[in-house]
Amino acid sequence: MPGLNWLCGTVLPIGFMVGMASAQPTPPTGPFLTCASEPAGSAVNDTVVSVPDTAGFLSLFDGSTIKGWWQGCETNHGGPAKWQVVPAEKALFSTQNGSTGGVLMTNQKFTNYELRWDYWPDFGNDGGIFNRTQPDGSCFQTVLDYIKDASLGGTWGERNFTSRDFRPFSFGNDETTIAIPGKDNGEVSNWTTITKNLMAAGQKFPCPTTGCTQAEWRTLWDKDGWNELRLKFYGGVTGSNRVHMKFWFRKPGSTEWVPVSADTTLMQVIPAGHIGLQVHNGGRFGGPKGTWYRNIRWTPLTNEGEQIIKPSTTTMDGHIRSDIKVGSNALIGDLKLDHEITIKDVRGATVQTIKGKAGHFEYRLAPEANGFLTMQIKTAKGIEYRKLIRDIQ
């Protein structure tokens, strides 16, 4: 055909083939994870070994095992759903087992946190993040409803938690078409209005000052590949403290997060609980290719949503990474430099400060240094953060 001869005999790299969509990883064939009982005792603290990355985040999934997770089958989604780790992809696969769903939960319980993960859903699949979930599925859910008439990043109260049905937008017949707002229940749940207000308040992200619309969604969301999601959940620890839930997304490699929900206004006490990944039951998880997760990580927050493990650009040459252990009564290890160790609880309050000389040490831990703790180690070479879990019950 005239005008197209320059294409003849040319092989284009896949990444440059216009109109060619990337394919999801091949779904595994099993064996899939079975149902389990809620962890108790020391098993609650069983999680992957991790030190904070430069952003202050800890790993929740090691990419090759299911360590630190269990599938709860007492929720109203039934179980077991199909969950399997695929080491070749360093990812976690999920889909329904027939029409049965389920919830994969962390062994560990959490209160205030920021969660980040890579996500690749097949359109037609209804998932969600169960925040502070109990074994029966009671939780405050961040919806990942990648289906018609639903949305990503909205909220829902599951079972015994006050319902909050926010839909900043809703999908049409496919993942490229959205309606704004998706659902308005008396509070601002309009994606265009939310993003307009946030930009007016000084936040920056790749949308016009008039707010994000369907046009921006089609550009900013990768329907044919991985996207990175971000969730902050904090508050609701006392009756006078509101629950806060905020949600963002971005393409891998992007430096700017795109907000979806600005916040919540729920006033309810929600106890510490597991973080859950949902497979909805029934006809709401119909995408044949399933949904994938990878690079799941978290960082603890204060009751006001402030990050406890601060992002760090300094290094201590890695010499503390495997040389400090916590016992029932003491912190034991070796450091090559004089140091100051500050131990904080999950609320960010300092419970113990220790100053020591270079060499081997055994520091007696204060009784209140219990449960999930963070440790700041300061030397002449900089500051590094680590997590501690001490169970003296």
Side-chain angles (χ1 to χ4, degrees), residues 238-257:
T238 66
S240 59
N241 180 226
R242 293 185 185 277
V243 174
H244 296 269
M245 196 288 290
K246 304 177 182 181
F247 183 87
W248 301 258
F249 72 90
R250 67 182 180 186
K251 290 181 181 179
S254 173
T255 59
E256 294 183 301
W257 290 99

Side-chain angles (χ1 to χ4, degrees), residues 107-175:
N107 290 352
Q108 192 173 325
K109 291 185 178 181
F110 298 84
T111 304
N112 303 309
Y113 51 87
E114 180 174 331
L115 191 69
R116 296 185 185 183
W117 69 103
D118 298 339
Y119 186 66
W120 193 342
D122 187 36
F123 192 74
N125 290 348
D126 182 336
I129 302 297
F130 277 29
N131 298 291
R132 298 190 199 164
T133 186
Q134 309 305 309
D136 68 354
S138 296
C139 70
F140 192 72
Q141 182 189 164
T142 303
V143 299
L144 301 178
D145 296 355
Y146 205 56
I147 60 175
K148 183 179 179 180
D149 298 329
S151 67
L152 292 174
T155 64
W156 180 259
E158 193 87 9
R159 282 204 163 184
N160 298 326
F161 292 82
T162 302
S163 178
R164 276 294 190 273
D165 189 5
F166 287 98
R167 308 287 165 153
F169 60 81
S170 62
F171 290 109
N173 291 324
D174 59 37
E175 61 269 57

Side-chain angles (χ1 to χ4, degrees), residues 326-331 343 352 354 363-367 369 388 390:
V326 60
S328 58
N329 295 310
L331 190 66
I343 298 175
Q352 191 171 3
I354 304 165
Y363 299 131
R364 188 171 182 83
L365 291 169
L388 299 173
R390 182 186 180 215

Side-chain angles (χ1 to χ4, degrees), residues 53-55 57 114-121 144 152-153 169 191 204-207 212 216-231 247-260 294-295 297:
D53 61 18
T54 56
F57 280 73
E114 180 174 331
L115 191 69
R116 296 185 185 183
W117 69 103
D118 298 339
Y119 186 66
W120 193 342
L144 301 178
L152 292 174
F169 60 81
W191 190 40
K204 295 181 179 180
F205 41 90
C207 287
C212 301
E216 284 70 48
W217 169 260
R218 288 174 171 173
T219 300
L220 299 173
W221 177 262
D222 187 352
K223 69 180 183 64
D224 297 315
W226 292 98
N227 290 275
E228 189 177 2
L229 307 187
R230 176 185 175 198
L231 162 67
F247 183 87
W248 301 258
F249 72 90
R250 67 182 180 186
K251 290 181 181 179
S254 173
T255 59
E256 294 183 301
W257 290 99
V258 184
V260 174
R294 71 179 185 191
N295 200 21
R297 57 209 189 278

